[in-house]
Amino acid sequence: NAGVTQTPKFQVLKTGQSMTLQCAQDMNHNSMYWYRQDPGMGLRLIYYSASEGTTDKGEVPNGYNVSRLNKREFSLRLESAAPSQTSVYFCASSLLAGGPSRTYNEQFFGPGTRLTVL
Amino acid sequence: DQQVKQNSPSLSVQEGRISILNCDYTNSMFDYFLWYKKYPAEGPTFLISISSIKDKNEDGRFTVFLNKSAKHLSLHIVPSQPGDSAVYFCAGPNNAGGTSYGKLTFGQGTILTVHP
């Protein structure tokens, strides 16, 4: 099993360009997530998909769109890239979306995409 | 509003000694916490968790302690090894909007360096 895969690993864009970050998981997980990691900020949730066919905004959704293409794939699109979107982007997946109280929902992360917007 | 905070950006310890990483939270309704470990150029990986009904959970060299009255948790690594050098994130359920749907809110991370 490859787990969670992300493409590309690195990308440099000019301001105003668009691109799509791809994510796929082969663990038959229901839920998928997109995060960005910035120095001193930890991991911040951009969008998530609790199950196939649903998507919702996280903490920092502005400037992004997502598509849950099927159960395996969850893509993140930057329509008009800005320098503030320079970051490392991580996709994650988990088996459950919530669940009984006092259970934890382990998320499995991909290796990340390092994006620079000039 | 940062619901989970790690106030120490970095920690340096000698090999064989104890590493203690700290995390504070604001939401007393959190019912579990997780610790993740991240090496450079890799994604975070799950390390250990604790339920809010417990005050301690141990897994080999790693122990997490939860102090609910102080809204504080800590990760102890004993003995520390150079391979433990990484960024450590604590996380709790992200209940923004009323239901977590498995979402997590992460602290800022602490860079641990273990010197041989």
Side-chain angles (χ1 to χ4, degrees):
Chain A
N1 285 355
V4 179
T5 57
Q6 292 182 237
T7 55
K9 287 190 175 2
F10 301 94
Q11 184 71 49
V12 179
L13 293 177
K14 295 181 179 178
T15 297
Q17 288 184 316
S18 62
M19 80 161 295
T20 300
L21 283 66
Q22 306 286 355
C23 174
Q25 53 90 9
D26 61 2
M27 296 175 283
N28 201 34
H29 284 173
N30 294 300
S31 304
M32 298 185 74
Y33 313 84
W34 276 105
Y35 293 90
R36 59 179 288 174
Q37 184 196 5
D38 302 292
M41 302 291 287
L43 292 155
R44 293 183 293 169
L45 183 66
I46 306 171
Y47 269 93
Y48 68 100
S49 172
S51 61
E52 185 179 359
T54 69
T55 61
D56 212 338
K57 296 177 180 179
E59 303 165 57
V60 289
N62 292 345
Y64 305 95
N65 283 300
V66 290
S67 296
R68 183 75 183 266
L69 304 169
N70 47 56
K71 191 171 185 179
R72 291 186 62 249
E73 298 172 289
F74 189 38
S75 62
L76 178 72
R77 182 159 179 84
L78 287 71
E79 291 291 351
S80 178
S84 61
Q85 294 178 304
T86 294
S87 188
V88 181
Y89 291 85
F90 291 100
C91 177
S93 70
S94 63
L95 180 61
L96 299 173
S101 178
R102 296 176 181 158
T103 60
Y104 68 86
N105 183 24
E106 180 184 347
Q107 293 184 15
F108 295 79
F109 284 80
T113 294
R114 186 174 293 275
L115 175 66
T116 302
V117 183
L118 303 175
Chain B
D1 180 27
Q2 190 87 25
Q3 294 194 64
V4 178
K5 290 185 179 181
Q6 295 174 257
N7 293 315
S8 298
S10 63
L11 175 68
S12 181
V13 299
Q14 282 299 125
E15 181 178 7
R17 306 294 289 268
I18 184 172
S19 296
I20 300 176
L21 297 101
N22 295 303
C23 182
D24 297 303
Y25 61 95
T26 57
N27 188 345
S28 58
M29 299 303 290
F30 282 175
D31 50 11
Y32 60 85
F33 298 90
L34 302 90
W35 283 92
Y36 277 81
K37 177 179 181 179
K38 184 186 177 306
Y39 291 118
E42 296 183 10
T45 55
F46 170 74
L47 183 60
I48 191 169
S49 67
I50 187 165
S51 165
S52 63
I53 62 172
K54 296 186 176 182
D55 54 17
K56 176 182 174 181
N57 188 30
E58 192 171 352
D59 183 3
R61 297 185 296 113
F62 302 90
T63 303
V64 57
F65 295 92
L66 178 61
N67 182 334
K68 290 185 283 293
S69 60
K71 295 183 183 176
H72 177 84
L73 64 154
S74 60
L75 174 68
H76 293 213
I77 306 174
V78 183
S80 301
Q81 299 173 353
D84 296 328
S85 297
V87 180
Y88 290 79
F89 295 98
C90 64
N94 182 337
N95 297 319
T99 305
S100 72
Y101 293 114
K103 303 191 305 289
L104 296 174
T105 185
F106 286 83
Q108 302 94 317
T110 298
I111 301 170
L112 173 66
T113 303
V114 181
H115 299 283

